[in-house]
Amino acid sequence: MHRFLSRKRIRHHIFVLNQVDHYRFNRASLINVGFLESSNDTDYIAMHDVDLLPHNEELDYSFPEAGPFHVASPELHPLYHYKTYVGGILLLTKQHYEMCNGMSNRFWGWGREDDEFYRRIKGAGLQLFRPSGIKTGYKTFQHLHDPAWRKRDQKRIATQKQEQFKVDRDGGLNNVRYQIESRTALSVAGAPCTVLNILLDCDASKTPWCTFS
């Protein structure tokens, strides 16, 4: 990513958001934490799945002034092709992310958090943009995800099946609960990085599916 962005002359700092608590994976809360812990030197963020690598240098990673820019669009992502999909790689200005109140913290386990975020984008009155003129189709990205590694995060437990399709009108940036266990600044092959080891917190009375037994 550092070589890719440097060739495109995109100033960047890579935050690795590493969940180290005993709860199930919560991508949305980790992104909220990354947003809150990023410095004032950044004016926009890339919500960038670690398992998705761009192969086409024509992809635009520049400042998304007009509105959220979905780099990994359904026409290009190798796996997800439905029109409301906004996962994988999404660029937003910090102002636009705040207008959405970030992402919902209710999604423990794999999936659905970006579907809810699509509804937040629309609810905030923002227009979603996607790449045009990219001719590499489903070969635009390398997708490294293997669900067999984290089977517990694929499960839907307790009332999660019903709750996962609801819009969270209250939670987001305003109520994400966490601690930073450690913050490590390092350079990887010249890439400026910060690794955050994050302890998320869960209110089991509201989201009992944050644990899996």
Side-chain angles (χ1 to χ4, degrees):
M1 285 307 306
H2 175 59
R3 289 193 299 269
F4 180 89
L5 294 171
S6 295
R7 285 194 294 266
K8 297 176 72 63
R9 298 185 178 181
I10 302 292
R11 292 182 60 199
H12 58 278
H13 189 100
I14 296 171
F15 285 83
V16 180
L17 310 175
N18 188 34
Q19 184 177 340
V20 297
D21 52 69
H22 64 281
Y23 297 115
R24 301 173 74 201
F25 179 61
N26 191 322
R27 173 179 176 267
S29 289
L30 292 175
I31 292 173
N32 284 339
V33 172
F35 178 92
L36 293 170
E37 295 293 327
S38 63
S39 68
N40 291 329
D41 293 335
T42 58
D43 50 9
Y44 69 109
I45 65 169
M47 297 160 51
H48 208 299
D49 284 0
V50 71
D51 60 6
L52 200 62
L53 295 174
H55 280 332
N56 189 325
E57 293 199 14
E58 294 182 7
L59 290 167
D60 187 4
Y61 273 71
S62 62
F63 184 72
E65 183 174 6
F69 186 78
H70 187 210
V71 180
S73 70
E75 296 81 12
L76 304 176
H77 194 285
L79 186 60
Y80 302 113
H81 307 144
Y82 56 97
K83 65 180 182 179
T84 58
Y85 175 66
V86 292
I89 307 168
L90 180 67
L91 312 181
L92 297 96
T93 68
K94 286 198 160 182
Q95 179 186 9
H96 289 160
Y97 195 73
E98 289 176 334
M99 287 171 61
C100 297
N101 190 24
M103 303 186 78
S104 171
N105 300 301
R106 294 178 59 83
F107 291 86
W108 300 90
W110 196 265
R112 299 294 183 190
E113 76 287 333
D114 42 23
D115 295 334
E116 201 267 355
F117 191 62
Y118 174 84
R119 298 165 79 174
R120 290 181 178 230
I121 290 172
K122 294 302 181 182
L126 297 171
Q127 183 176 352
L128 180 68
F129 295 88
R130 288 183 164 128
S132 60
I134 303 295
K135 302 188 184 306
T136 44
Y138 297 151
K139 296 181 179 180
T140 303
F141 301 96
Q142 182 181 5
H143 193 221
L144 305 170
H145 179 64
D146 183 358
W149 284 101
R150 295 292 295 273
K151 290 184 178 180
R152 69 172 185 157
D153 288 329
Q154 307 295 320
K155 303 292 185 181
R156 296 289 181 265
I157 59 177
T159 57
Q160 187 178 15
K161 289 183 180 180
Q162 293 76 36
E163 294 290 328
Q164 65 184 346
F165 295 105
K166 295 181 180 179
V167 176
D168 179 7
R169 303 190 184 280
D170 301 314
L173 277 176
N174 62 311
N175 69 348
V176 59
R177 294 161 44 171
Y178 71 98
Q179 293 180 350
I180 300 297
E181 183 183 71
S182 66
R183 178 190 297 262
T184 305
L186 70 161
S187 176
V188 179
C193 299
T194 298
V195 178
L196 299 179
N197 282 344
I198 300 166
L199 293 161
L200 297 177
D201 193 14
C202 167
D203 184 345
S205 66
K206 295 181 178 179
T207 54
W209 51 86
C210 62
T211 60
F212 183 70
S213 59

